[in-house]
Amino acid sequence: MNPLLSALQPYPFERLRQLFADVAPPAGLRPISLGIGEPKHPTPRFIQQALADAALQPGGGLAGYPATAGDPALRRAITDWLQRRYALALDPATQVLPVNGSREALFAFAQTVLDPSRPGATVVCPNPFYQIYEGAALLGGATPYYAPSDPARNFGVDWDAVPEDVWARTQLLFVCSPGNPTGAVMPLDEWAKLFALSDRHGFVIASDECYSEIYFRDEPPLGGLEAAAKLGRADFRRLVAFTSLSKRSNLPGLRSGFVAGDAALLKAFLLYRTYHGSAMSPVVQTASIAAWGEEAHVVENRAQYRAKFAEVTPILAEVLDVALPDAGFYLWAAIPRAYGNDDAAFARDLLAQYNVTVLPGSYLARETRGGNPGAGRIRMALVAETAECAEAARRIAAFVRGLPPARSDS
């Protein structure tokens, strides 16, 4: 067996399952989960139809092996979307690749980029973070370094806290903007700082942008490639952005996304993917073309999240330290002082008394010299319909106030 597998930590949801193993929630309250960030809004009908039509196409659809590089029509649909969204002009032949969701691509990209034979191979990632970053680093033979989030800056990452000697041995930097779990969006001056560090030390930047289309301000979140173009880096050197249709179009089961950026990096990534066996199904490609080419459903999806957060956030803000994020579909809340930093105990008691599941923030972070930056916080994924999320918020508010649960299946 690969000895590096032993370095992997349990996934947050496995830890949550173990935490709740002997909890018996009240039978009179139906369960509500805010734990997993899995979109629950309906999948647009026109995308479902495109998928079905492609599968039933005579002589096509499922009748042949797909190319790893993807159909030129899909790559063009992606670059057209990047032009509309970010005013970017990318070459569909060399600067984009379709992938089976951003999760698999983030992991695979690290295996392409990392050179564990170089002493001190390091991957820098935010803390808290999406655990794929850590797993990709460890299985790539590198050591993760966790850059802490700063509560004083809306939980943006404190890149200045990373020592210069760490940057010097860094091979890959994972950026997540809008962030998971904090929802923080990185401004242009921070991108400029990271690009300067990349130029000085030669590391690659992987920009995870899967929450880019769910936002609450008038101005959409700045993307990594967009930031590079604004700063005169039109070749996107040492920069690759990752996004998907999962959150944008409510298609987590489709497993469809793309990577875009530095043509030299994508050439190497395509070579890796050719051997990795990660070509996208032709029927998924057809549905993806339909999704990337239509924006009205994205606007409607965003409006649903805005209305939901507008209703739910004030309920929780009465009892918890929580505020509307810059973007994304999570609330990142501090637990009551009575629990100290024991976010796991808070989550366990909430389930036991009110049958609501939240994710302990400490499960999304790692202990460093400054402590665990997720301790004392919880992540709530507002992915269900508004009424269900509002009911969960009311139960959480009652729990924090110490009120007995109402025994009804409301």
Side-chain angles (χ1 to χ4, degrees), residues 41 248 250 295-306:
H41 294 177
R248 173 189 179 270
N250 296 306
E295 205 66 27
H297 75 284
V298 183
V299 174
E300 171 57 27
N301 188 49
R302 186 160 52 243
Q304 289 185 58
Y305 278 112
R306 285 179 167 180

Side-chain angles (χ1 to χ4, degrees), residues 99 102-114 122-126 129-130 132-134 136-137 157 159 167 170-180 186 191 194-195 197-198 202-210 222-225 227-228 233 236-243 258-262 265-266 269:
V99 296
S102 56
R103 175 176 177 164
E104 72 89 1
L106 287 161
F107 179 87
F109 184 70
Q111 314 314 304
T112 305
V113 169
L114 293 175
T122 298
V123 173
V124 174
C125 67
F129 61 97
Y130 182 41
I132 294 301
Y133 309 154
E134 179 186 68
V157 180
W159 303 114
W167 288 124
T170 295
Q171 296 184 17
L172 177 62
L173 164 65
F174 282 112
V175 173
C176 187
S177 179
N180 173 10
M186 211 164 74
W191 279 110
L194 295 182
F195 292 149
L197 286 164
S198 173
F203 61 76
V204 172
I205 301 174
S207 180
D208 181 357
E209 303 175 9
C210 67
L222 177 70
L225 301 180
R233 303 170 66 91
F236 311 119
R237 57 189 177 277
R238 292 185 299 278
L239 173 66
V240 174
F242 299 70
T243 193
F258 69 81
V259 298
D262 186 325
L265 289 173
L266 292 189
F269 192 34

Side-chain angles (χ1 to χ4, degrees), residues 8-21:
L8 298 179
Q9 298 204 32
Y11 215 61
F13 305 112
E14 171 59 22
R15 295 180 65 186
L16 195 66
R17 187 189 67 79
Q18 294 173 9
L19 177 68
F20 294 160

